Amino acid sequence: MFGIGQSIRRKPRQFSYNPRYYDADAEARNQRRIELGHAPREEDGQKKEYTPGDILRARSEQRARQAERNAAARRKSNKARMMFALLLIVGLVLLVRSIMQTL
């Protein structure tokens, strides 16, 4: 009667994933490795299994590496500025000395 109550009795949607490519040999090798107590080897082109937080962790690590590179560049730049200032001061002192000796 007008579909009342049908949504309650209806079976929920099921997840169905049909892979586009299945390599039975690789699957058998990985299964054998698991049986022997080794972790399955990452094949070329295959991604490792996703665990929650992988993307956030990768982004956080990337930001940390970028911050470290920026800090290193800043330290290098500061050293160059200090050396330039030191050479400038030494040059001015030598110039003033030479002027004072000629007088």
Side-chain angles (χ1 to χ4, degrees):
M1 181 162 138
F2 302 114
I4 298 174
Q6 275 186 342
S7 63
I8 296 172
R9 291 185 300 246
R10 187 173 36 189
K11 187 177 176 182
R13 290 178 143 179
Q14 299 294 315
F15 176 78
S16 65
Y17 170 70
N18 298 323
R20 291 184 178 191
Y21 176 76
Y22 177 74
D23 187 3
D25 294 333
E27 192 68 30
R29 283 191 304 269
N30 283 339
Q31 185 61 36
R32 182 71 179 140
R33 284 188 185 101
I34 291 171
E35 290 171 1
L36 293 174
H38 303 290
R41 185 179 297 163
E42 299 277 335
E43 299 292 333
D44 291 341
Q46 288 183 348
K47 294 182 179 179
K48 65 179 182 177
E49 186 176 330
Y50 174 77
T51 55
D54 279 349
I55 295 173
L56 294 175
R57 195 172 304 110
R59 287 181 185 167
S60 174
E61 290 170 358
Q62 184 180 12
R63 280 193 302 268
R65 284 191 303 269
Q66 183 65 33
E68 188 175 323
R69 283 192 298 265
N70 288 345
R74 201 173 311 119
R75 284 191 301 267
K76 187 176 181 180
S77 176
N78 285 344
K79 285 180 184 177
R81 288 180 186 151
M82 288 171 47
M83 289 298 292
F84 178 73
L86 181 65
L87 289 174
L88 185 64
I89 291 171
V90 168
L92 287 174
V93 167
L94 292 175
L95 180 67
V96 168
R97 273 192 185 170
S98 68
I99 291 174
M100 294 300 275
Q101 286 179 356
T102 57
L103 292 178

